[in-house]
Amino acid sequence: MKNEKPLVIIVMGSESDLPIMKKAANVLDELGVSFEMTISSAHRMPEETTRLAKLARQRGIEVIIAGAGMAAHLAGAIAAHTTLPVIGVPLKSGELGGVDALYSTVQMPSGIPVATVAINGAANAAYLACSILSIKYPEIHAALEDKRTKTTEALIKKSEAACNAALAKI
Ligand code: RP5
């Protein structure tokens, strides 16, 4: 689905979030889901962030992934302006190791949900976005199932090899 209209926006609060948030992009790319990636801080770019959230549905976006660290209000600020599913990624930065961002992202008021993944869980945010999209898009469903099967098969092979290597030393 490359070069097609994006179904997912990956947004983050700062350029310093890119190394982790790129993992979400890698997953979407691997599973063939069209997306765009941008930086928009809830605090430093409040009007741009509001516009992004308000226009997303009419642009054809179906899921928003929002990652931020410290006083991480980005996912919540976006969820306040759209009824699209918003997946929040709390990022590890600053002195509190990401717990600050986790609490800021997950503790949303009733009626304005943010589906929050683990600290630095950008890859899982993308897998969750794919799960949501798989309800409507059979090709995303197939890609997701295929990825799951391959991951399990690879793990079984690796585990067998590791056990055999350990047993050979007895
Ligand atoms: C948050 O503050 C950003 O999402 C980032 O994780 C953190 C630090 O931002 P910078 O000071 O590196 O721009 O808003």
Side-chain angles (χ1 to χ4, degrees):
M1 296 178 82
K2 271 183 194 166
N3 303 321
E4 286 177 21
K5 224 171 47 154
L7 290 176
V8 179
I9 296 183
I10 301 170
V11 56
M12 66 209 84
S14 168
E15 193 181 331
S16 64
D17 300 329
L18 262 172
I20 296 298
M21 293 308 290
K22 173 102 194 330
K23 294 179 184 182
N26 291 342
V27 170
L28 295 179
D29 184 56
E30 187 185 351
L31 297 188
V33 176
S34 54
F35 67 94
E36 67 180 31
M37 193 157 81
T38 188
I39 295 167
S40 191
S41 164
H43 303 125
R44 295 165 175 159
M45 303 158 68
E47 279 163 25
E48 289 75 8
T49 300
T50 301
R51 199 174 319 123
L52 177 151
K54 283 187 170 171
L55 293 180
R57 187 183 288 274
Q58 70 194 62
R59 289 184 51 220
I61 301 295
E62 299 190 16
V63 183
I64 299 173
I65 296 173
M70 301 207 277
H73 297 133
L74 181 61
I78 289 173
H81 290 292
T82 181
T83 49
L84 287 173
V86 177
I87 303 172
V89 186
L91 296 173
K92 185 176 175 178
S93 64
E95 300 303 320
L96 300 183
V99 174
D100 44 358
L102 173 62
Y103 287 168
S104 302
T105 304
V106 79
Q107 290 285 41
M108 289 297 291
S110 179
I112 316 291
V114 167
T116 305
V117 295
I119 295 170
N120 282 359
N124 259 1
Y127 285 118
L128 181 54
C130 292
S131 295
I132 294 167
L133 294 167
S134 74
I135 297 167
K136 181 172 165 188
Y137 298 95
E139 67 276 25
I140 297 176
H141 180 207
L144 204 47
E145 294 286 344
D146 187 54
K147 175 70 183 175
R148 243 339 138 91
T149 304
K150 284 185 177 146
T151 302
T152 304
E153 283 170 0
L155 194 57
I156 290 169
K157 263 191 198 157
K158 207 174 148 201
S159 306
E160 277 172 6
C163 288
N164 289 339
L167 290 173
K169 289 181 190 154
I170 293 175

PDB file of all heavy atoms in Angstrom, residues 12-17 41-44 67-74 91-94 101, ligand 1:
ATOM      1  N   MET A  12       5.008  12.572  16.626  1.00  0.00           N
ATOM      2  CA  MET A  12       5.810  12.581  17.863  1.00  0.00           C
ATOM      3  C   MET A  12       6.102  14.016  18.278  1.00  0.00           C
ATOM      4  O   MET A  12       6.061  14.937  17.452  1.00  0.00           O
ATOM      5  CB  MET A  12       7.101  11.784  17.673  1.00  0.00           C
ATOM      6  CG  MET A  12       8.061  12.389  16.692  1.00  0.00           C
ATOM      7  SD  MET A  12       9.084  11.144  15.882  1.00  0.00           S
ATOM      8  CE  MET A  12       7.997  10.610  14.558  1.00  0.00           C
ATOM      9  N   GLY A  13       6.434  14.163  19.566  1.00  0.00           N
ATOM     10  CA  GLY A  13       6.573  15.497  20.122  1.00  0.00           C
ATOM     11  C   GLY A  13       7.858  16.218  19.791  1.00  0.00           C
ATOM     12  O   GLY A  13       7.924  17.446  19.892  1.00  0.00           O
ATOM     13  N   SER A  14       8.882  15.473  19.408  1.00  0.00           N
ATOM     14  CA  SER A  14      10.191  16.091  19.183  1.00  0.00           C
ATOM     15  C   SER A  14      11.016  15.234  18.229  1.00  0.00           C
ATOM     16  O   SER A  14      10.814  14.006  18.143  1.00  0.00           O
ATOM     17  CB  SER A  14      10.934  16.217  20.519  1.00  0.00           C
ATOM     18  OG  SER A  14      12.283  16.550  20.317  1.00  0.00           O
ATOM     19  N   GLU A  15      11.955  15.880  17.591  1.00  0.00           N
ATOM     20  CA  GLU A  15      12.900  15.158  16.733  1.00  0.00           C
ATOM     21  C   GLU A  15      13.658  14.103  17.545  1.00  0.00           C
ATOM     22  O   GLU A  15      14.025  13.050  17.024  1.00  0.00           O
ATOM     23  CB  GLU A  15      13.880  16.164  16.117  1.00  0.00           C
ATOM     24  CG  GLU A  15      14.695  15.595  14.992  1.00  0.00           C
ATOM     25  CD  GLU A  15      15.666  16.619  14.418  1.00  0.00           C
ATOM     26  OE1 GLU A  15      15.370  17.828  14.470  1.00  0.00           O
ATOM     27  OE2 GLU A  15      16.723  16.180  13.929  1.00  0.00           O
ATOM     28  N   SER A  16      13.851  14.395  18.843  1.00  0.00           N
ATOM     29  CA  SER A  16      14.590  13.441  19.687  1.00  0.00           C
ATOM     30  C   SER A  16      13.807  12.135  19.888  1.00  0.00           C
ATOM     31  O   SER A  16      14.356  11.150  20.371  1.00  0.00           O
ATOM     32  CB  SER A  16      14.937  14.075  21.043  1.00  0.00           C
ATOM     33  OG  SER A  16      13.750  14.376  21.762  1.00  0.00           O
ATOM     34  N   ASP A  17      12.532  12.119  19.523  1.00  0.00           N
ATOM     35  CA  ASP A  17      11.717  10.897  19.642  1.00  0.00           C
ATOM     36  C   ASP A  17      11.872   9.983  18.417  1.00  0.00           C
ATOM     37  O   ASP A  17      11.394   8.834  18.447  1.00  0.00           O
ATOM     38  CB  ASP A  17      10.228  11.262  19.780  1.00  0.00           C
ATOM     39  CG  ASP A  17       9.940  12.114  21.006  1.00  0.00           C
ATOM     40  OD1 ASP A  17      10.650  11.947  22.015  1.00  0.00           O
ATOM     41  OD2 ASP A  17       9.012  12.938  20.952  1.00  0.00           O
ATOM     42  N   SER A  41       4.503  19.036  18.441  1.00  0.00           N
ATOM     43  CA  SER A  41       4.487  19.039  19.901  1.00  0.00           C
ATOM     44  C   SER A  41       3.178  19.632  20.427  1.00  0.00           C
ATOM     45  O   SER A  41       2.756  20.708  19.990  1.00  0.00           O
ATOM     46  CB  SER A  41       5.680  19.855  20.406  1.00  0.00           C
ATOM     47  OG  SER A  41       5.500  20.175  21.767  1.00  0.00           O
ATOM     48  N   ALA A  42       2.571  18.914  21.386  1.00  0.00           N
ATOM     49  CA  ALA A  42       1.322  19.420  21.988  1.00  0.00           C
ATOM     50  C   ALA A  42       1.552  20.756  22.675  1.00  0.00           C
ATOM     51  O   ALA A  42       0.661  21.614  22.701  1.00  0.00           O
ATOM     52  CB  ALA A  42       0.790  18.409  22.989  1.00  0.00           C
ATOM     53  N   HIS A  43       2.754  20.955  23.225  1.00  0.00           N
ATOM     54  CA  HIS A  43       3.029  22.168  23.996  1.00  0.00           C
ATOM     55  C   HIS A  43       3.697  23.263  23.176  1.00  0.00           C
ATOM     56  O   HIS A  43       3.385  24.442  23.321  1.00  0.00           O
ATOM     57  CB  HIS A  43       3.936  21.816  25.197  1.00  0.00           C
ATOM     58  CG  HIS A  43       3.335  20.770  26.077  1.00  0.00           C
ATOM     59  ND1 HIS A  43       3.980  19.602  26.398  1.00  0.00           N
ATOM     60  CD2 HIS A  43       2.125  20.699  26.681  1.00  0.00           C
ATOM     61  CE1 HIS A  43       3.199  18.871  27.188  1.00  0.00           C
ATOM     62  NE2 HIS A  43       2.077  19.505  27.360  1.00  0.00           N
ATOM     63  N   ARG A  44       4.598  22.845  22.283  1.00  0.00           N
ATOM     64  CA  ARG A  44       5.342  23.843  21.515  1.00  0.00           C
ATOM     65  C   ARG A  44       4.657  24.207  20.194  1.00  0.00           C
ATOM     66  O   ARG A  44       4.967  25.230  19.597  1.00  0.00           O
ATOM     67  CB  ARG A  44       6.751  23.319  21.205  1.00  0.00           C
ATOM     68  CG  ARG A  44       7.615  23.123  22.442  1.00  0.00           C
ATOM     69  CD  ARG A  44       8.825  22.262  22.091  1.00  0.00           C
ATOM     70  NE  ARG A  44       9.754  22.141  23.205  1.00  0.00           N
ATOM     71  CZ  ARG A  44      10.638  21.152  23.309  1.00  0.00           C
ATOM     72  NH1 ARG A  44      10.707  20.204  22.376  1.00  0.00           N
ATOM     73  NH2 ARG A  44      11.459  21.102  24.329  1.00  0.00           N
ATOM     74  N   GLY A  67       3.528   9.543  19.920  1.00  0.00           N
ATOM     75  CA  GLY A  67       4.562   9.258  20.906  1.00  0.00           C
ATOM     76  C   GLY A  67       5.141  10.536  21.489  1.00  0.00           C
ATOM     77  O   GLY A  67       5.415  11.490  20.756  1.00  0.00           O
ATOM     78  N   ALA A  68       5.296  10.559  22.808  1.00  0.00           N
ATOM     79  CA  ALA A  68       5.928  11.720  23.449  1.00  0.00           C
ATOM     80  C   ALA A  68       6.536  11.287  24.776  1.00  0.00           C
ATOM     81  O   ALA A  68       6.137  10.275  25.366  1.00  0.00           O
ATOM     82  CB  ALA A  68       4.905  12.833  23.681  1.00  0.00           C
ATOM     83  N   GLY A  69       7.511  12.087  25.217  1.00  0.00           N
ATOM     84  CA  GLY A  69       8.164  11.814  26.494  1.00  0.00           C
ATOM     85  C   GLY A  69       7.828  12.873  27.530  1.00  0.00           C
ATOM     86  O   GLY A  69       7.136  13.851  27.242  1.00  0.00           O
ATOM     87  N   MET A  70       8.278  12.640  28.735  1.00  0.00           N
ATOM     88  CA  MET A  70       8.121  13.545  29.883  1.00  0.00           C
ATOM     89  C   MET A  70       6.645  13.909  30.126  1.00  0.00           C
ATOM     90  O   MET A  70       5.830  13.032  30.304  1.00  0.00           O
ATOM     91  CB  MET A  70       9.019  14.753  29.710  1.00  0.00           C
ATOM     92  CG  MET A  70      10.497  14.319  29.595  1.00  0.00           C
ATOM     93  SD  MET A  70      11.684  15.503  30.131  1.00  0.00           S
ATOM     94  CE  MET A  70      11.831  16.515  28.700  1.00  0.00           C
ATOM     95  N   ALA A  71       6.294  15.214  30.117  1.00  0.00           N
ATOM     96  CA  ALA A  71       4.876  15.600  30.310  1.00  0.00           C
ATOM     97  C   ALA A  71       4.153  15.309  28.996  1.00  0.00           C
ATOM     98  O   ALA A  71       3.803  16.212  28.240  1.00  0.00           O
ATOM     99  CB  ALA A  71       4.786  17.073  30.674  1.00  0.00           C
ATOM    100  N   ALA A  72       3.890  14.024  28.771  1.00  0.00           N
ATOM    101  CA  ALA A  72       3.499  13.555  27.429  1.00  0.00           C
ATOM    102  C   ALA A  72       2.008  13.733  27.197  1.00  0.00           C
ATOM    103  O   ALA A  72       1.220  12.810  27.394  1.00  0.00           O
ATOM    104  CB  ALA A  72       3.902  12.090  27.280  1.00  0.00           C
ATOM    105  N   HIS A  73       1.623  14.895  26.742  1.00  0.00           N
ATOM    106  CA  HIS A  73       0.201  15.188  26.530  1.00  0.00           C
ATOM    107  C   HIS A  73      -0.214  15.062  25.070  1.00  0.00           C
ATOM    108  O   HIS A  73      -1.367  15.314  24.737  1.00  0.00           O
ATOM    109  CB  HIS A  73      -0.115  16.598  27.045  1.00  0.00           C
ATOM    110  CG  HIS A  73       0.108  16.728  28.513  1.00  0.00           C
ATOM    111  ND1 HIS A  73       0.786  17.777  29.089  1.00  0.00           N
ATOM    112  CD2 HIS A  73      -0.222  15.893  29.531  1.00  0.00           C
ATOM    113  CE1 HIS A  73       0.848  17.595  30.398  1.00  0.00           C
ATOM    114  NE2 HIS A  73       0.249  16.461  30.689  1.00  0.00           N
ATOM    115  N   LEU A  74       0.722  14.669  24.212  1.00  0.00           N
ATOM    116  CA  LEU A  74       0.423  14.688  22.770  1.00  0.00           C
ATOM    117  C   LEU A  74      -0.742  13.768  22.408  1.00  0.00           C
ATOM    118  O   LEU A  74      -1.691  14.204  21.736  1.00  0.00           O
ATOM    119  CB  LEU A  74       1.678  14.306  21.972  1.00  0.00           C
ATOM    120  CG  LEU A  74       1.516  14.313  20.452  1.00  0.00           C
ATOM    121  CD1 LEU A  74       1.139  15.698  19.950  1.00  0.00           C
ATOM    122  CD2 LEU A  74       2.805  13.843  19.775  1.00  0.00           C
ATOM    123  N   LEU A  91       7.305   7.723  25.913  1.00  0.00           N
ATOM    124  CA  LEU A  91       8.722   7.566  25.556  1.00  0.00           C
ATOM    125  C   LEU A  91       9.619   7.828  26.752  1.00  0.00           C
ATOM    126  O   LEU A  91       9.346   8.699  27.583  1.00  0.00           O
ATOM    127  CB  LEU A  91       9.069   8.510  24.407  1.00  0.00           C
ATOM    128  CG  LEU A  91       8.312   8.199  23.108  1.00  0.00           C
ATOM    129  CD1 LEU A  91       8.566   9.282  22.059  1.00  0.00           C
ATOM    130  CD2 LEU A  91       8.690   6.834  22.561  1.00  0.00           C
ATOM    131  N   LYS A  92      10.697   7.048  26.792  1.00  0.00           N
ATOM    132  CA  LYS A  92      11.667   7.191  27.881  1.00  0.00           C
ATOM    133  C   LYS A  92      12.567   8.378  27.584  1.00  0.00           C
ATOM    134  O   LYS A  92      13.381   8.322  26.657  1.00  0.00           O
ATOM    135  CB  LYS A  92      12.482   5.899  27.966  1.00  0.00           C
ATOM    136  CG  LYS A  92      13.439   5.845  29.108  1.00  0.00           C
ATOM    137  CD  LYS A  92      14.113   4.487  29.162  1.00  0.00           C
ATOM    138  CE  LYS A  92      15.178   4.470  30.244  1.00  0.00           C
ATOM    139  NZ  LYS A  92      15.813   3.163  30.347  1.00  0.00           N
ATOM    140  N   SER A  93      12.413   9.466  28.328  1.00  0.00           N
ATOM    141  CA  SER A  93      13.360  10.579  28.204  1.00  0.00           C
ATOM    142  C   SER A  93      13.283  11.366  29.504  1.00  0.00           C
ATOM    143  O   SER A  93      12.270  11.337  30.186  1.00  0.00           O
ATOM    144  CB  SER A  93      13.017  11.478  27.002  1.00  0.00           C
ATOM    145  OG  SER A  93      11.778  12.092  27.199  1.00  0.00           O
ATOM    146  N   GLY A  94      14.364  12.028  29.848  1.00  0.00           N
ATOM    147  CA  GLY A  94      14.363  12.794  31.092  1.00  0.00           C
ATOM    148  C   GLY A  94      14.684  11.947  32.304  1.00  0.00           C
ATOM    149  O   GLY A  94      14.991  10.757  32.200  1.00  0.00           O
ATOM    150  N   ALA A 101       5.903   9.862  31.374  1.00  0.00           N
ATOM    151  CA  ALA A 101       5.184   9.846  30.091  1.00  0.00           C
ATOM    152  C   ALA A 101       4.087   8.781  30.102  1.00  0.00           C
ATOM    153  O   ALA A 101       3.001   8.991  29.546  1.00  0.00           O
ATOM    154  CB  ALA A 101       6.168   9.588  28.955  1.00  0.00           C
TER     155      ALA A 101
HETATM  156  C1  RP5 B   1       8.558  15.771  24.799  1.00  0.00           C
HETATM  157  O1  RP5 B   1       9.682  16.147  25.506  1.00  0.00           O
HETATM  158  C2  RP5 B   1       9.058  15.148  23.538  1.00  0.00           C
HETATM  159  O2  RP5 B   1       8.129  14.217  23.053  1.00  0.00           O
HETATM  160  C3  RP5 B   1      10.351  14.509  23.945  1.00  0.00           C
HETATM  161  O3  RP5 B   1      10.188  13.136  24.259  1.00  0.00           O
HETATM  162  C4  RP5 B   1      10.740  15.276  25.189  1.00  0.00           C
HETATM  163  C5  RP5 B   1      12.038  16.034  25.021  1.00  0.00           C
HETATM  164  O4  RP5 B   1      11.930  16.860  23.891  1.00  0.00           O
HETATM  165  P1  RP5 B   1      13.206  17.681  23.376  1.00  0.00           P
HETATM  166  O5  RP5 B   1      13.566  18.614  24.486  1.00  0.00           O
HETATM  167  O6  RP5 B   1      14.273  16.656  23.074  1.00  0.00           O
HETATM  168  O7  RP5 B   1      12.749  18.382  22.126  1.00  0.00           O
HETATM  169  O8  RP5 B   1       7.728  16.850  24.513  1.00  0.00           O
END
